Amino acid sequence: MELSGAEIVVRCLRDEGVEYIFGYPGGSVLHIYDALFQQDDVRHILVRHEQGATHAADGYARSTGKPGVVLVTSGPGATNAVTGIATAFMDSIPLVVLTGQVPRAVIGSDAFQECDTIGITRPCVKHNFLVSDLSKLAETIKKAFYIATTGRPGPVVVDIPKDITDPKVKIPYEYPKTVDIRSYQPKVKGHPGQIKKAVDLLLTARQPMIYSGGGVILGNASQALIDLTRFLEFPITQTLMGLGAYPATDRQFLGMLGMHGTYEANMGMHQCDVLLAIGARFDDRVTGKLTQFCPDAKIIHIDVDPASISKTVRVDIPIVGEVQFVLEEMMALLKAADFKGSSQDISEWWASIERWRALDCLSFDRNSRRIKPQRVIEELWEVTGGHAFVTSDVGQHQMWAAQYYKFDAPRRWINSGGLGTMGFGLPAAIGVKLGHPEADVACITGEASIQMCIQELATALQYRTGVKVINLNNGYMGMVRQWQEFSYESRYSESYLETLPDFVRLAEAYGHVGIKVDQPCDVRPALEEAFRMKDRTVFLDILTDPSENVYPMIEAGKGHHEMRMAPGVSTDTELS
Amino acid sequence: MKRHIISILIENEAGALSRVAGLFSARGYNIETLTVAPTEDASMSRMTVVTSGSDEIIEQITKQINKLIDVVKLVNLSESTHIERELMMVKCRAIADKREDINRLCDRFRGNILDETPTSFVIELTGEKSKLDDFLKGISEDHIIEVVRSGTTGILCGERGFNA
Ligand SMILES: Cc1cc2nc3c(=O)[nH]c(=O)nc-3n(C[C@H](O)[C@H](O)[C@H](O)COP(=O)(O)OP(=O)(O)OC[C@H]3O[C@@H](n4cnc5c(N)ncnc54)[C@H](O)[C@@H]3O)c2cc1C
Ligand SMILES: Cc1ncc(C[n+]2csc(CCOP(=O)(O)OP(=O)(O)O)c2C)c(N)n1
Ligand SMILES: [Mg+2]
């Protein structure tokens, strides 16, 4: 079969099993758009800004486990995509981003809409390719998918000069079945000796903690994590990126850890004697002050990326490998060791944890006349039966979503953790809904964040992706305002948004339903109404208490045991 | 802050150098010298980076370089017996008595005089970094017109090849 470069691009996507490609046309990709027009295997989703394309593809990838695919033009198309590429990179999300480039003959001449896409994206991709020869196009695309989805996943950019896609130049096409890249051989199996050592250490623990992260979700190892944790009867905490891998409603789960983690999770970290870290990268939001991190613990760390190990915290037993494989091996060894579960040995530890838990660090004023954002999330959980896919933007609303929506399954909680990209939530929700047309999809956002990609409301109408936008409207860049309250004596420098649009009319102008809610008792009926309108995008503008803060909080330079609690929650010193 | 010589085999692809150099600048690692050249295998280049840092930093540097998709192999030469060499060319003022001094110094360091005018020499010298530094000290700063150094490269001792 003889195909042009443009046709090869589209055929490769088809042969890779790609359902959706998120994109925006422009000069250098017009040949590819013409090839897309002439087929219907791969469905193109036209966004309204290239940042939206990358976030939508990202939301699709996070929720389905399949790679997200993006197509943008050269120059401004590529630079607009960079924020989304960097967002995916920081959270290790597999994306393949195809960017148009000016024809080979004029590369380097400051041609119209030329930019050095390879140079600009290099620090925020897992890898990138400039296709320099038509004969290498199919192989390069195959490699891009392979690299993006294996090992520690991440975004891969393929920059394609326009003349490579020339419809007049045809070559024989065959999509490679396999790839072998001699310089890229990600490790799957952990070292058996290290796994054995880790199991021996776990068996001696008296105050153990499991700290698991996004790697469990990326590696589809949720069930293996549940099996191991239940078998050991150890307490478990998860990072912001790990939520859902272990069910949040289970008794062994202590909540999220870190800066806005629960008292019981952070105290458990501080006092544990053995820490089992699984697919988590010891991020600064998680560790707090490094010199006070888990002062008495021996640490086991399972990660597929050797560079994640001993990067910020030195660990005692590193295991490089896929979570799934390593956890299965651990289970096999534990079963062979005739281990009966350590509930007896660690009952005192559990008693301390229950005392910490009894403080109820996430309690808030339930009798307020103002709408409490925490309560909105609880009601969302109730209305959706805990089954929704929830995306979020960045700020206080994101933390409340993480704290109060109890995710019981992986890939349901979709947020930008590493880069913290405002504007992520809405396009990501569209991507999620395309991947899960029957599911309830909510985007929890703030009035500042939503305005960063609000134009995607038009995309939501075009593809009838009925997502529910839940705008926790506190009138402030709440997270910024909170830091200013705590650290800058309440000098609210530029964190108040003086002019907000009428979101209800805005939603209506985009062809959606808008509902304003300003009384606590109206929240639930509004949520119920929104989810009843299955196929409609509904924008709930919920006016929440502007003075509310996210608690607990570990302020900069503090350790896990030095949390700032919500007013009214006291930490009895005897407990710590 | 020990000095380390890291030898890298990398796919001979466009942009390979900028991936390594960019990694060092993005992560704030030191580069003392960096050399790149083809190898016996046309599909690969060798890069040699001389860097310094605590053990933790060197561990991260090697892991991060290894993580680059194009890197085929990496060896920290400083962890095994190895030979390191650098090429230097020095242009220096050489008049009257100084001509004889420099000639003697050159012999002692086994340098070659590549170019000679009535007032100057261009001298070529290879060796370890410390030898080249000593030679420069011997000439004295006010006689040096220009120094051109290649940066350090190195190879493991013994029969074992790095590529094996
Ligand atoms: C406003 C704000 C506040 C935040 N507050 C908090 C907070 O309080 N608590 C918190 O936890 N986070 C918080 N974060 C998020 C934080 O910035 C980090 O994104 C997050 O903690 C990182 O999660 P992780 O360690 O699970 O790593 P991820 O970024 O999810 O990385 C996954 C790790 O797993 C590895 N991995 C991937 N696949 C596999 C596999 N198959 N097998 C083995 N290993 C694998 C990767 O190599 C990597 O090391 C906050 C973010 C924002 C924006
Ligand atoms: C693109 C981008 N710019 C700036 C920031 C810094 N920032 C973090 S949270 C925040 C405020 C978010 O306000 P809002 O969306 O209203 O959420 P709230 O905190 O009020 O819930 C800002 C400005 C960011 N994370 N992303
Ligand atoms: Mg706000």
Side-chain angles (χ1 to χ4, degrees):
Chain A
M1 185 177 22
E2 299 245 310
L3 297 178
S4 72
E7 289 163 338
I8 288 176
V9 169
V10 176
R11 269 303 288 249
C12 286
L13 298 181
R14 192 197 91 162
D15 290 348
E16 194 61 47
V18 173
E19 279 180 289
Y20 291 110
I21 176 162
F22 299 86
Y24 207 92
S28 67
V29 286
L30 285 180
H31 297 325
I32 301 175
Y33 271 87
D34 196 47
L36 277 172
F37 189 82
Q38 302 181 37
Q39 54 87 53
D40 36 38
D41 296 316
V42 183
R43 185 143 177 242
H44 183 272
I45 303 296
L46 178 67
V47 294
R48 297 300 184 267
H49 184 297
E50 289 86 350
Q51 182 183 349
T54 46
H55 291 331
D58 182 325
Y60 174 86
R62 291 183 203 233
S63 65
T64 61
K66 296 184 243 173
V69 185
V70 176
L71 173 61
V72 296
T73 193
S74 64
T79 55
N80 270 350
V82 168
T83 299
I85 295 170
T87 302
F89 179 68
M90 288 296 277
D91 291 341
S92 307
I93 305 304
L95 293 187
V96 172
V97 181
L98 308 175
T99 54
Q101 183 52 276
V102 299
R104 281 172 292 178
V106 298
I107 287 181
S109 68
D110 302 320
F112 178 63
Q113 295 197 324
E114 176 178 5
C115 75
D116 176 9
T117 300
I118 294 296
I120 289 172
T121 58
R122 197 197 60 232
C124 60
V125 293
K126 182 168 174 186
H127 196 58
N128 56 21
F129 295 97
L130 173 66
V131 180
S132 54
D133 196 312
L134 176 56
S135 66
K136 292 202 184 124
L137 181 59
E139 179 195 328
T140 304
I141 293 175
K142 178 80 194 174
K143 281 184 180 171
F145 278 96
Y146 174 66
I147 292 170
T149 53
T150 51
R152 179 178 184 168
V156 177
V157 166
V158 183
D159 200 25
I160 309 174
K162 184 168 185 181
D163 56 316
I164 297 261
T165 59
D166 185 345
K168 292 188 296 295
V169 184
K170 303 206 174 205
I171 59 163
Y173 166 78
E174 198 186 342
Y175 195 57
K177 287 197 184 55
T178 56
V179 266
D180 180 37
I181 305 175
R182 65 176 165 182
S183 60
Y184 174 70
Q185 311 278 344
K187 246 182 124 175
V188 174
K189 302 186 174 188
H191 189 280
Q194 293 291 94
I195 296 176
K196 173 80 175 54
K197 266 204 239 165
V199 167
D200 290 343
L201 180 61
L202 288 175
L203 292 174
T204 67
R206 303 299 300 249
Q207 306 193 158
M209 270 296 275
I210 297 176
Y211 144 55
S212 84
V216 178
I217 292 173
L218 295 164
N220 297 314
S222 184
Q223 193 55 50
L225 174 71
I226 294 170
D227 293 346
L228 184 86
T229 307
R230 295 241 166 98
F231 187 78
L232 289 168
E233 298 179 27
F234 286 179
I236 176 169
T237 179
Q238 289 177 330
T239 67
L240 182 73
M241 303 316 292
L243 297 176
Y246 190 87
T249 50
D250 188 89
R251 192 190 69 91
Q252 277 170 261
F253 183 57
L254 307 190
M256 183 170 81
L257 82 164
M259 179 174 273
H260 293 299
T262 64
Y263 189 68
E264 51 273 32
N266 286 336
M267 290 304 288
M269 291 293 286
H270 192 68
Q271 299 200 1
C272 70
D273 65 355
V274 172
L275 181 69
L276 174 58
I278 309 174
R281 58 183 173 82
F282 295 81
D283 183 80
D284 54 71
R285 308 272 114 166
V286 163
T287 57
K289 191 176 182 188
L290 283 172
T291 50
Q292 301 202 23
F293 179 78
C294 296
D296 304 318
K298 286 247 183 286
I299 304 177
I300 302 163
H301 187 187
I302 306 169
D303 203 293
V304 75
D305 178 5
S308 280
I309 293 177
S310 294
K311 182 168 64 176
T312 58
V313 171
R314 284 212 76 76
V315 302
D316 302 282
I317 306 183
I319 304 173
V320 178
E322 294 271 348
V323 176
Q324 174 72 28
F325 180 87
V326 176
L327 292 187
E328 278 173 5
E329 285 294 287
M330 282 186 158
M331 265 306 261
L333 287 177
L334 282 168
K335 283 187 170 151
D338 203 23
F339 174 72
K340 296 281 191 294
S342 55
S343 53
Q344 281 311 108
D345 305 329
I346 64 168
S347 58
E348 264 179 53
W349 177 232
W350 268 112
S352 312
I353 289 169
E354 292 306 343
R355 281 197 299 277
W356 294 326
R357 178 140 57 186
L359 284 185
D360 195 9
C361 68
L362 294 180
S363 62
F364 59 91
D365 178 6
R366 290 174 184 275
N367 303 316
S368 172
R369 293 225 297 273
R370 293 207 137 123
I371 299 177
K372 287 290 177 183
Q374 301 96 321
R375 182 67 198 136
V376 177
I377 309 288
E378 285 183 348
E379 297 196 277
L380 174 66
W381 185 79
E382 290 159 15
V383 167
T384 56
H387 298 309
F389 287 81
V390 177
T391 73
S392 92
D393 270 301
V394 174
Q396 292 182 316
H397 60 274
Q398 176 187 24
M399 293 299 108
W400 288 317
Q403 291 173 328
Y404 295 90
Y405 198 101
K406 302 200 176 317
F407 293 95
D408 276 342
R411 301 194 180 279
R412 297 296 167 102
W413 166 234
I414 312 286
N415 81 134
S416 164
L419 201 66
T421 308
M422 291 169 68
F424 176 81
L426 175 61
I430 293 170
V432 172
K433 185 72 183 175
L434 287 165
H436 304 269
E438 299 307 319
D440 287 336
V441 179
C443 163
I444 294 173
T445 184
E447 75 299 326
S449 292
I450 191 66
Q451 294 188 71
M452 288 214 179
C453 275
I454 190 106
Q455 74 285 347
E456 301 308 333
L457 282 174
T459 310
L461 184 68
Q462 181 168 348
Y463 300 99
R464 298 291 187 273
T465 51
V467 301
K468 315 303 166 193
V469 179
I470 296 168
N471 187 30
L472 298 180
N473 185 344
N474 52 10
Y476 281 92
M477 297 173 197
M479 183 58 88
V480 174
R481 190 202 55 71
Q482 175 170 348
W483 282 59
Q484 290 171 334
E485 179 185 332
F486 290 176
S487 310
Y488 300 90
E489 298 171 318
S490 298
R491 287 186 296 278
Y492 297 144
S493 178
E494 305 296 328
S495 55
Y496 180 64
L497 298 141
E498 283 204 17
T499 51
L500 286 176
D502 178 336
F503 286 110
V504 170
R505 283 169 58 200
L506 186 72
E508 287 168 359
Y510 273 108
H512 303 305
V513 180
I515 303 174
K516 192 184 199 104
V517 185
D518 56 9
Q519 294 300 319
C521 59
D522 293 338
V523 171
R524 196 184 185 99
L527 284 169
E528 283 167 349
E529 191 187 343
F531 282 98
R532 256 196 313 272
M533 289 184 263
K534 264 266 169 230
D535 303 324
R536 299 298 299 273
T537 291
V538 182
F539 194 114
L540 293 181
D541 187 25
I542 305 180
L543 304 188
T544 60
D545 184 350
S547 64
E548 192 53 87
N549 289 324
V550 182
Y551 295 107
M553 178 170 180
I554 302 176
E555 287 171 270
K558 297 277 168 80
H560 277 150
H561 58 308
E562 300 171 300
M563 274 161 282
R564 178 172 182 151
M565 307 298 279
V569 178
S570 72
T571 56
D572 186 334
T573 44
E574 267 175 32
L575 292 177
S576 54
Chain B
M1 288 284 276
K2 238 186 87 198
R3 178 168 172 272
H4 291 257
I5 305 174
I6 296 172
S7 184
I8 304 161
L9 280 177
I10 189 164
E11 295 289 353
N12 193 3
E13 299 278 349
L17 172 61
S18 66
R19 290 186 206 278
V20 176
L23 191 153
F24 274 77
S25 65
R27 294 189 181 265
Y29 304 141
N30 287 322
I31 297 188
E32 188 180 286
T33 68
L34 169 64
T35 73
V36 200
T39 64
E40 70 282 2
D41 175 346
S43 68
M44 283 192 278
S45 301
R46 177 176 319 270
M47 274 185 213
T48 311
V49 188
V50 180
T51 183
S52 57
S54 62
D55 291 351
E56 286 78 24
I57 289 183
I58 298 298
E59 182 180 328
Q60 262 300 307
I61 291 177
T62 54
K63 284 173 169 178
Q64 292 290 350
I65 297 174
N66 251 323
K67 191 169 151 179
L68 294 174
I69 304 294
D70 280 342
V71 169
V72 180
K73 191 147 190 208
L74 174 153
V75 169
N76 184 345
L77 296 180
S78 309
E79 285 171 352
S80 317
T81 43
H82 66 277
I83 298 158
E84 78 166 85
R85 284 293 179 271
E86 183 173 6
L87 167 70
M88 175 168 78
M89 290 180 279
V90 190
K91 186 174 285 182
C92 54
R93 243 179 297 283
I95 39 171
D97 296 355
K98 194 69 187 175
R99 281 184 93 78
E100 213 17 61
D101 289 353
I102 292 179
N103 252 321
R104 268 200 305 277
L105 191 70
C106 225
D107 284 346
R108 194 146 64 77
F109 279 81
R110 287 196 237 141
N112 292 321
I113 297 178
L114 301 181
D115 180 57
E116 199 175 340
T117 73
T119 56
S120 71
F121 288 142
V122 171
I123 302 155
E124 170 201 45
L125 201 69
T126 56
E128 292 188 8
K129 174 185 185 304
S130 53
K131 171 180 158 183
L132 306 190
D133 293 344
D134 288 346
F135 180 79
L136 290 177
K137 274 184 221 141
I139 292 188
S140 91
E141 226 173 273
D142 43 342
H143 285 84
I144 295 174
I145 299 170
E146 193 174 21
V147 176
V148 177
R149 296 173 73 147
S150 66
T152 296
T153 61
I155 196 164
L156 289 172
C157 290
E159 187 186 18
R160 186 167 62 97
F162 170 150
N163 217 345

